[in-house]
Amino acid sequence: MGAEKVMTRDAASAGDSEAPASTKGYSRLFSPYRTIGIVAQGPFHLLPNQNSSNAVLCAAIGDRFHMLQCDRLHPVLVSHAVPPPASGSTTTQNIEHIISDNSLSITVAAHGPKGNPRQVTMFQRTRPVATLTDIVPSKEWNIVDLLHLGTIKITIASGEKKGMKENASLCGVVISKGRPLPNDGVPVVGNDGNDSSDSSDESDDSSDSGSDDDEKTDSSTSRGQVVLCVASRTSLILHRRIDLSMFPTFCPRVAIHPPTYVNKIVIGGSCSKTGKDAMILVNVRTGKLIHKFQCLDAVNSKSKKDKTEITCLEASPVLDTVAVGNSKGMVHLVNTRMDVLLFSLRHTSKNGRPSQITSMSFRTDGAAAHYGIAPLAVGRSDGTISVWDLTPPEAEEDDDESPPPERNLLCEMEGVHYPGEVHKLQYLPQEPLLLSTGTHSNSVIMHIFDNPDHSGRILKERKGHTSPPNCIRYLHPGGGAGGGVLVNAADGTDAAACTILSGGSKDRTLRVFSTARSVLDKEFSQGRGLVKRAKELGMESKADLLLPPITALASSEARSRDWGDLVTIHKDHAFAYVWSSRRGAQSGPVLRQDEWNVSAMKAAPPVAVHATSVTISMCGNFALVGTKGGTVYKYNIQSGNTRGSYPPDSNKKPGRGRGEAGDIRRTFKALEKKMKVSNRASNLDKAEADQVTKAEMERRREAKLSSACHSGAAVTGLAVDGVNKTLISVGLDAKLILWNFKTHAPHKKCPIMLPAPATKMNHIRESDLAAIALADFTVLMFDCSNLSIVRRFGAGGNQTRHSGPISDLGFSPDGRTMYSSSLDGTIRVWDVPTNSCVDWLGFKSPPTSLTVSPTGEFLATTHADRLGLSLWSDRSFYQTIHVDGSGGLNVPASMDEPAPIAEVDGDDEDSDNAMKRILAPVVIEAESQEDDERANMDTPVNAKEEGLITMSGLPPAHWKNLFNLELVKQRNKPKEPPKKPPSAPFFLQWRTGESIGGEPVVNPELAKKDDQKDEEGWDAVWSDDDAEMQEAEVPGNPPPLLNESKRSRETGGEIDTTRTKKPKVTHYRSHLAALLQQCDAAGAGHGDQFSAVTEHVGSLGPSAIDVSFSTLCNGMHDLREGLPLLILACRWLSEACRSRERFEAVNAYLHRFLHLHSSVLAGIKDRHERRREDAETEQTPQEIEEKFQEQEQRELLLNHVEDLRSSQTSSADTLQEKMQNTLCLLKHFSRMI
């Protein structure tokens, strides 16, 4: 109940398997949780603050963006996905350009199919608010750049603030007709026409003819437009279009808004007629072409054959100076005011070809000015970052006609974002820190320039895989996955152990990802100085020196403190490598046979010994590696020495013929030899007989080994049992063999033939069961203890089996649930005891690997075309899930791709909404049957038959603490009362008189009295004893009545006792008292009159229940009002006991009720004793009437208490009888076993 995992198989829940369930975005058991391992997949926008630690990086990650705090480069905000295209296309959307305004908390992104953005969406924090789908005139047009032009004032059109002004951002969207070709100019689209705008004087005012907001200009004569959009907190409006028809052959590629250039932007691109660089200056307010720059024509004329285009523009800290980068690796510094080319910088790759310029940034910190340098960082298409010093060297004064002196190259960081190109660079303002991202590197790197030679080094970085991984495992998994530390945030264990090992990617790396904090992600080191060595060997990056991609890995926590705890095998590689998760590096020997060559200059090991599977023994001392030839090699992890093979090598007989020191068998053999009778003939006959026997045994042994081995077939799965006695191996020869771990001999009943070749195996050490994936797309469950097949999953037909090769297997920690992923794009969840498929997950991309968390709460998967790792949460851990084990599922549930989540703590509204969106299933219109099930989950369990006893399902602390409240109060009682404040609080205005000298005048006697009164009042407030707060009564002098005047007390006047006495104290009553009275007055149906009271008490805590019960009657002095409430409470408890619902909670309420009011119940005297007391005292008629009514109420209370006793005894006896009967049956059945 409650938070426990509840899985009920009910035939009524068969509706989950219907076809409409496939469109939910989540399945029966699993819902999207988060994606890890994705850092940056495109552009970013820097939001600088006071320093680098407060700066925020807004980076695109596919169809979303996230905000990274620069102090640790961790995500603090993640957006929703961009809206799909209006046409309903299922093409994946990618954010290609992005800008952000932190003053308005808005972000504007241009998105569309990869490389073809055609829509613009505005986000308010994380939620998309508005989308412009008519930015481009047709499909031939694409958005090439996005600019933030500043903040303007607009009038609010509607709402409470209609007519008022608000801030808004003015954004410029540059669109182009025809897609630029990288490094090869711009393709010609349509007819070029004549280039009739060679100077700024020929600018036509027709471009400012007043295009409307929603009207598209005729773009047939131009190849570029500038669209102005106004983005407020609630809307995104298309303001106007500026058609670049005054330069019809100009294809824009990039644009900037230089400082101090009001309403003006510089647009760079190429001329489709000449295929050369072109740059213009446009006034976005008037829509006029102000100037076409001519300074680049001289450079373009030198290379008439090569086509070039401007790919990057960056404004320098110096006014009127712009850096221009093109597709041929040239960077030109241009004075935009004078239209003069200052100097140029050339960049080439290692092969001598020009490298395209992708991004540039100027450094503006004071340290650079102090050293007299002006650094410019240039990002290139080969992933290299070059840093130039733009300070001109000293030139000769006599030679005035000499060319501009060349600038110095400060440093060159090669292959920083390999593979792919540098997407964007940006220096942090006033700091020597450079941020960079790549197009395919999936990384964000922060460089710092603090070396004496002004070279840079990596200060911080966040990286992920550059290609999809296909092998993941939780580090040191628990339970059914092999034993380890059980990690769960609920019990306070360390969440740092929630790490996933990831490999198999083409980037040849082994990475560890934390499911708790992304700052714990790291890459395992494969050696020191790889970057330097790669440079010396002339390689593009260190990736060429890394190990081949990982195909399988195994880990063990048993000896992780002593030596390596992780062993990996690699693609087309014979060696196995040992890693240490504590050091995060390759640590330990290389596991290989002695005759295998390590040097690449010698002959490599044969293909038959290439590793195909790996496992680690339970003790953590041995690693076992299966090969393509069918042999299994055994290694010592600490030393790397070989410890034999399976089957044993006949040429190598370790230990044969060598006696051990101290072995008594050696002494027996020596004595036998001395005592033999010298009979040469008999000895020869015996020797011959021994040789024949030995040869026969060897022949049998060879025959057994020849059949019980994977000869010529790859070993696809290995496992060791929990006591290191048996090694299990399966192969492509459809054999399952059990080996003696110590003697390396096969089991006498082996080999066991499987129905089809085995491709994967996963073993559970606790139950000694092995799941084996076969080539016919089915899964076997093999009992290694009884040597029998106990389950076969997916053998019922095409509807229940996978339709593609099985890529991976996994088990839940308790071993009752098995997961199988297949290249058919699905994952099936199997219930092992019932041999049924309880869930069927469908994905857009085929899953290549899976792993289950140590607690079973999460399922991690990798997919064929995704860089990140997808995490899916098991909904049965936080809500009741009904699964149908009898019938099969018709269609797989189409799973939504999980999104990254922000890693911040606080009360931020977006963070709360994000967590609710992630933990709960996707909010959609569910079926009416599911709505009823969810409604029933919040109500108590109803008895299936009349007379059965049900529990409340409330937390145990709700009713258990009612028995020990006094102990809890005593333990929580403070050791000393709070002290009086030394002075009055600041909000109490109090003023004293002042003397002539300015000192306050205070009467000592009055001050002493005031202090005494304050202390008494303070102690009275603190005291728990009610007697201390009441005035002591003196015998013979009763306390004055409340309605007695002061004069009557002084004169001794008599009081009219015929008046109705008013209560001396008004007692507090809880809501329970009012609810009891309401239910009594309502008079509901039989058996459920006080059901509302039971619901109310069930919602209270132990302390609140105690207060509610105690205020029903405050003692013998409160019988006038308390007796009716006690009677109602007894009626409520009697009804609850008779209903036999919420048995444990109702009995706890009854115990607390009797404990609190035991003195009142015991103080009720019987009828004869009260009559005797009434006869001895003289009473007025009114007092006699009141006594009579009180007497009737007391008798009624006693009757209800007696009824309550019988009701509770009846239900308790029934429960005791049922439990006794059950215990007897269990005892009887246990004797039959």
Side-chain angles (χ1 to χ4, degrees):
M1 298 294 177
E4 297 179 357
K5 182 175 180 179
V6 180
M7 296 178 63
T8 306
R9 291 172 173 81
D10 190 358
S13 61
D16 287 342
S17 61
E18 295 180 359
S22 62
T23 61
K24 296 178 183 177
Y26 61 94
S27 67
R28 281 181 177 178
L29 296 177
F30 290 95
S31 62
Y33 176 61
R34 68 174 297 188
T35 296
I36 58 177
I38 297 181
V39 181
Q41 293 180 320
F44 71 85
H45 184 84
L46 181 65
L47 300 174
N49 287 323
Q50 297 178 355
N51 50 51
S52 60
S53 61
N54 295 330
V56 177
L57 192 71
C58 181
I61 47 173
D63 59 350
R64 306 169 187 266
F65 67 87
H66 61 174
M67 299 284 188
L68 301 176
Q69 193 79 23
C70 288
D71 57 349
R72 293 184 298 171
L73 295 179
H74 65 286
V76 295
L77 205 67
V78 181
S79 75
H80 294 241
V82 297
S87 60
S89 174
T90 58
T91 307
T92 304
Q93 300 284 303
N94 290 278
I95 296 178
E96 301 289 341
H97 308 281
I98 190 170
I99 58 175
S100 185
D101 189 344
N102 56 352
S103 62
L104 299 177
S105 299
I106 62 173
T107 302
V108 180
H111 58 90
K114 190 172 182 61
N116 299 284
R118 297 190 180 97
Q119 298 182 9
V120 176
T121 298
M122 190 269 291
F123 293 81
Q124 171 61 31
R125 290 182 65 84
T126 62
R127 300 182 179 276
V129 176
T131 301
L132 295 178
T133 59
D134 55 350
I135 289 288
V136 296
S138 63
K139 292 184 178 181
E140 298 177 350
W141 293 72
N142 296 312
I143 300 174
V144 295
D145 206 353
L146 198 60
L147 297 176
H148 184 240
L149 303 179
T151 304
I152 61 175
K153 295 282 187 178
I154 62 173
T155 303
I156 301 177
S158 61
E160 298 179 355
K161 298 182 179 180
K162 181 178 180 180
M164 301 178 65
K165 297 290 185 179
E166 68 170 341
N167 292 329
S169 292
L170 182 62
C171 305
V173 183
V174 182
I175 61 177
S176 177
K177 186 177 182 180
R179 182 179 178 184
L181 292 178
N183 299 328
D184 197 18
V186 181
V188 177
V189 181
N191 297 325
D192 289 337
N194 297 325
D195 188 4
S196 59
S197 55
D198 295 337
S199 63
S200 60
D201 297 337
E202 298 179 8
S203 301
D204 192 3
D205 295 344
S206 62
S207 62
D208 190 35
S209 58
S211 59
D212 297 333
D213 295 348
D214 299 329
E215 182 182 356
K216 298 181 182 180
T217 59
D218 185 10
S219 57
S220 60
T221 60
S222 65
R223 303 187 183 223
Q225 290 182 359
V226 178
V227 182
L228 299 183
C229 303
V230 178
S232 64
R233 290 184 176 91
T234 57
S235 62
L236 179 64
I237 304 172
L238 195 152
H239 180 57
R240 65 176 303 183
R241 291 179 180 269
I242 300 175
D243 192 28
L244 302 179
S245 58
M246 68 291 292
F247 192 176
T249 60
F250 176 69
C251 293
R253 174 72 181 271
V254 66
I256 60 169
H257 177 46
T260 70
Y261 279 54
V262 182
N263 299 326
K264 301 175 183 64
I265 60 174
V266 177
I267 306 176
S270 64
C271 177
S272 60
K273 183 177 181 179
T274 61
K276 300 298 181 181
D277 299 341
M279 189 168 63
I280 59 176
L281 181 65
V282 177
N283 189 315
V284 295
R285 184 170 186 177
T286 61
K288 294 182 179 180
L289 174 65
I290 298 177
H291 183 67
K292 176 186 174 184
F293 293 92
Q294 306 291 337
C295 59
L296 300 178
D297 294 343
V299 181
N300 295 332
S301 61
K302 296 180 182 180
S303 56
K304 297 182 179 180
K305 297 182 180 180
D306 297 334
K307 294 183 178 181
T308 62
E309 65 174 341
I310 296 176
T311 59
C312 181
L313 292 174
E314 182 68 17
S316 71
V318 180
L319 297 180
D320 304 323
T321 304
V322 175
V324 181
N326 67 5
S327 59
K328 293 301 180 181
M330 297 297 297
V331 175
H332 308 292
L333 269 294
V334 177
N335 187 312
T336 54
R337 178 181 289 272
M338 306 300 298
D339 194 1
V340 175
L341 175 63
L342 302 179
F343 57 88
S344 300
L345 306 173
R346 182 180 297 275
H347 301 81
T348 57
S349 58
K350 289 184 178 180
N351 54 15
R353 296 180 180 178
S355 181
Q356 177 178 311
I357 306 302
T358 58
S359 182
M360 295 180 293
S361 181
F362 289 89
R363 181 175 162 186
T364 59
D365 62 293
H370 175 75
Y371 289 106
I373 58 175
L376 169 65
V378 180
R380 294 153 40 179
S381 59
D382 57 356
T384 301
I385 299 176
S386 302
V387 182
W388 294 84
D389 179 15
L390 301 184
T391 304
E394 297 181 359
E396 298 180 2
E397 298 180 358
D398 299 337
D399 192 1
D400 296 337
E401 298 181 358
S402 61
E406 296 182 356
R407 267 57 180 179
N408 297 326
L409 181 64
L410 294 178
C411 67
E412 197 169 50
M413 297 174 282
E414 298 181 355
V416 176
H417 291 282
Y418 179 87
E421 60 188 35
V422 179
H423 197 284
K424 187 173 182 180
L425 296 172
Q426 187 163 357
Y427 276 103
L428 268 69
Q430 306 300 324
E431 294 196 43
L433 301 176
L434 177 66
L435 286 170
S436 63
T437 60
T439 54
H440 300 91
S441 63
N442 190 24
S443 63
V444 174
I445 303 178
M446 179 182 289
H447 305 265
I448 184 171
F449 297 86
D450 56 354
N451 294 326
D453 58 350
H454 310 297
S455 61
R457 60 181 178 88
I458 296 178
L459 178 63
K460 305 171 187 175
E461 64 177 342
R462 277 200 64 208
K463 284 187 175 182
H465 285 293
T466 58
S467 62
N470 56 23
C471 181
I472 58 172
R473 291 292 181 269
Y474 266 90
L475 179 64
H476 306 320
V485 179
L486 185 65
V487 180
N488 190 355
D491 55 11
T493 52
D494 187 10
C498 295
T499 53
I500 300 178
L501 297 169
S502 175
S505 173
K506 293 182 180 179
D507 58 9
R508 302 184 175 188
T509 60
L510 175 62
R511 297 185 178 276
V512 59
F513 294 101
S514 173
T515 59
R517 291 294 181 185
S518 60
V519 294
L520 302 177
D521 300 350
K522 62 181 179 181
E523 176 187 352
F524 277 58
S525 173
Q526 299 188 25
R528 296 181 180 179
L530 293 180
V531 177
K532 182 178 179 181
R533 186 178 178 186
K535 290 181 179 179
E536 294 174 354
L537 298 176
M539 299 179 177
E540 293 184 0
S541 69
K542 70 172 186 178
D544 298 332
L545 296 176
L546 300 181
L547 296 173
I550 295 173
T551 57
L553 55 89
S555 64
S556 174
E557 195 183 9
R559 305 301 296 269
S560 60
R561 296 180 179 272
D562 302 325
W563 48 74
D565 57 347
L566 176 64
V567 178
T568 61
I569 58 174
H570 303 261
K571 183 179 181 181
D572 299 331
H573 203 62
F575 304 159
Y577 296 87
V578 181
W579 308 72
S580 174
S581 60
R582 295 169 60 87
R583 296 180 54 188
Q586 182 185 341
S587 174
V590 178
L591 307 181
R592 65 181 183 88
Q593 296 295 308
D594 297 335
E595 62 271 16
W596 296 349
N597 296 320
V598 179
S599 175
M601 304 298 294
K602 299 180 181 180
V607 179
V609 297
H610 286 178
T612 56
S613 57
V614 64
T615 188
I616 299 179
S617 62
M618 183 66 181
C619 60
N621 294 325
F622 301 100
L624 298 108
V625 180
T627 62
K628 288 185 177 180
T631 305
V632 179
Y633 294 104
K634 181 179 177 183
Y635 302 95
N636 183 281
I637 296 179
Q638 181 184 12
S639 62
N641 295 334
T642 59
R643 291 295 182 261
S645 63
Y646 302 84
D649 191 353
S650 59
N651 297 325
K652 295 182 179 180
K653 299 180 180 179
R656 285 183 176 269
R658 291 185 295 175
E660 299 179 3
D663 192 353
I664 195 172
R665 289 176 294 180
R666 298 177 60 187
T667 306
F668 285 157
K669 288 182 179 180
L671 291 175
E672 253 181 57
K673 189 175 181 181
K674 290 181 180 179
M675 295 175 64
K676 280 184 179 180
V677 180
S678 178
N679 188 347
R680 184 175 182 84
S682 62
N683 290 341
L684 290 176
D685 294 340
K686 187 177 184 305
E688 291 178 0
D690 290 343
Q691 290 180 0
V692 172
T693 304
K694 186 177 180 181
E696 181 65 20
M697 293 177 61
E698 188 67 23
R699 186 186 63 80
R700 292 179 181 179
R701 177 178 172 273
E702 293 294 338
K704 181 66 176 177
L705 291 179
S706 62
S707 61
C709 66
H710 305 283
S711 178
V715 179
T716 56
L718 290 174
V720 181
D721 65 353
V723 291
N724 275 10
K725 286 188 176 181
T726 306
L727 169 68
I728 307 103
S729 66
V730 294
L732 292 179
D733 54 358
K735 292 181 181 179
L736 185 147
I737 305 175
L738 277 70
W739 308 85
N740 188 297
F741 187 81
K742 184 177 181 181
T743 64
H744 300 191
H747 194 276
K748 60 182 179 180
K749 294 185 178 180
C750 290
I752 299 172
M753 300 305 298
L754 302 174
T759 58
K760 293 283 182 180
M761 184 177 69
N762 197 324
H763 181 256
I764 315 173
R765 285 174 174 164
E766 284 70 15
S767 59
D768 207 13
L769 295 176
I772 305 170
L774 303 181
D776 60 355
F777 312 150
T778 62
V779 181
L780 291 181
M781 185 68 68
F782 185 81
D783 189 348
C784 300
S785 300
N786 299 326
L787 302 182
S788 61
I789 297 175
V790 294
R791 295 286 188 276
R792 187 169 184 181
F793 302 99
N798 296 330
Q799 189 65 24
T800 60
R801 72 169 61 188
H802 288 289
S803 59
I806 296 176
S807 57
D808 206 352
L809 297 172
F811 277 98
S812 61
D814 57 4
R816 296 178 61 87
T817 306
M818 188 191 70
Y819 308 86
S820 62
S821 63
S822 173
L823 297 183
D824 60 3
T826 64
I827 290 180
R828 286 185 178 268
V829 183
W830 307 90
D831 185 64
V832 176
T834 61
N835 192 16
S836 60
C837 180
V838 296
D839 202 1
W840 192 7
L841 289 70
F843 306 93
K844 298 178 181 178
S845 177
T848 56
S849 182
L850 64 85
T851 181
V852 185
S853 65
T855 57
E857 296 173 285
F858 300 102
L859 174 68
T861 60
T862 59
H863 299 266
D865 58 355
R866 297 181 190 171
L867 297 180
L869 279 62
S870 301
L871 263 67
W872 315 87
S873 64
D874 192 340
R875 296 163 51 208
S876 63
F877 276 81
Y878 52 85
Q879 71 180 79
T880 304
I881 302 297
H882 299 276
V883 296
D884 181 17
S886 59
L889 300 174
N890 295 329
V891 293
S894 179
M895 305 296 292
D896 290 341
E897 184 177 352
I901 63 175
E903 298 175 358
V904 292
D905 298 329
D907 297 332
D908 185 79
E909 179 181 358
D910 294 306
S911 300
D912 294 342
N913 294 336
M915 292 304 297
K916 292 178 181 178
R917 185 181 70 254
I918 292 166
L919 292 179
V922 181
V923 180
I924 61 173
E925 295 183 359
E927 300 175 352
S928 60
Q929 182 177 0
E930 296 176 356
D931 295 338
D932 296 339
E933 291 175 357
R934 292 178 181 175
N936 293 334
M937 287 192 305
D938 299 332
T939 60
V941 179
N942 296 324
K944 294 184 178 180
E945 296 180 6
E946 186 178 357
L948 295 182
I949 297 175
T950 61
M951 300 299 175
S952 64
L954 297 172
H958 171 81
W959 55 272
K960 282 186 177 181
N961 288 340
L962 293 176
F963 299 99
N964 304 302
L965 276 180
E966 282 71 20
L967 180 61
V968 175
K969 290 180 180 179
Q970 184 66 24
R971 184 181 57 189
N972 296 339
K973 187 175 181 180
K975 297 181 179 180
E976 60 181 6
K979 298 180 181 179
K980 176 187 174 183
S983 60
F986 67 92
F987 51 81
L988 295 182
Q989 302 296 327
W990 178 74
R991 179 179 298 177
T992 60
E994 294 182 355
S995 63
I996 299 177
E999 300 177 356
V1001 177
V1002 180
N1003 189 343
E1005 296 181 358
L1006 294 178
K1008 185 176 180 180
K1009 291 181 179 179
D1010 292 341
D1011 292 344
Q1012 185 176 1
K1013 291 180 180 179
D1014 292 342
E1015 292 179 359
E1016 292 176 355
W1018 193 262
D1019 293 340
V1021 171
W1022 173 252
S1023 175
D1024 289 336
D1025 191 358
D1026 294 338
E1028 296 179 1
M1029 301 179 63
Q1030 299 177 1
E1031 184 178 355
E1033 298 182 1
V1034 181
N1037 296 323
L1041 300 177
L1042 295 177
N1043 58 353
E1044 183 181 1
S1045 63
K1046 180 178 179 181
R1047 177 172 299 180
S1048 63
R1049 292 197 300 269
E1050 292 177 353
T1051 58
E1054 298 182 356
I1055 302 174
D1056 186 5
T1057 58
T1058 60
R1059 293 184 180 181
T1060 303
K1061 297 181 180 179
K1062 295 184 179 179
K1064 299 179 181 179
V1065 181
T1066 302
H1067 295 285
Y1068 166 78
R1069 307 292 180 193
S1070 64
H1071 179 64
L1072 176 62
L1075 194 58
L1076 286 169
Q1077 294 174 350
Q1078 291 177 5
C1079 292
D1080 180 53
H1086 178 70
D1088 57 351
Q1089 182 176 3
F1090 295 96
S1091 59
V1093 179
T1094 309
E1095 295 287 344
H1096 170 69
V1097 177
S1099 64
L1100 302 177
S1103 300
I1105 294 175
D1106 180 68
V1107 173
S1108 299
F1109 284 176
S1110 61
T1111 54
L1112 292 177
C1113 183
N1114 294 278
M1116 298 298 296
H1117 61 280
D1118 189 28
L1119 292 180
R1120 177 174 299 177
E1121 297 179 359
L1123 271 179
L1125 296 177
L1126 292 181
I1127 294 173
L1128 293 177
C1130 289
R1131 290 174 55 190
W1132 160 58
L1133 291 171
S1134 299
E1135 177 187 304
C1137 290
R1138 285 193 298 268
S1139 66
R1140 299 185 179 184
E1141 296 179 355
R1142 312 189 185 203
F1143 183 81
E1144 82 284 13
V1146 170
N1147 279 270
Y1149 302 156
L1150 177 59
H1151 171 271
R1152 194 63 193 171
F1153 174 77
L1154 295 177
H1155 177 78
L1156 292 173
H1157 302 290
S1158 58
S1159 59
V1160 177
L1161 298 177
I1164 299 177
K1165 301 176 182 180
D1166 58 5
R1167 183 179 302 178
H1168 300 287
E1169 187 176 354
R1170 287 196 300 270
R1171 288 180 179 179
R1172 185 172 60 254
E1173 291 180 355
D1174 295 342
E1176 295 176 356
T1177 58
E1178 296 182 358
Q1179 298 178 354
T1180 62
Q1182 183 178 359
E1183 292 177 349
I1184 294 174
E1185 181 65 22
E1186 293 178 355
K1187 290 273 187 181
F1188 179 75
Q1189 294 178 358
E1190 183 178 346
Q1191 179 180 349
E1192 289 183 346
Q1193 290 182 349
R1194 292 184 180 187
E1195 292 178 356
L1196 184 60
L1197 177 60
L1198 292 178
N1199 294 335
H1200 283 294
V1201 170
E1202 184 66 24
D1203 182 39
L1204 176 60
R1205 176 185 176 184
S1206 61
S1207 301
Q1208 195 274 340
T1209 304
S1210 175
S1211 59
D1213 291 343
T1214 303
L1215 179 61
Q1216 185 176 3
E1217 181 182 355
K1218 295 294 183 182
M1219 292 183 66
Q1220 186 66 26
N1221 187 20
T1222 304
L1223 292 175
C1224 292
L1225 290 175
L1226 289 175
K1227 188 175 182 180
H1228 173 68
F1229 291 147
S1230 62
R1231 291 176 180 176
M1232 296 173 61
I1233 299 176

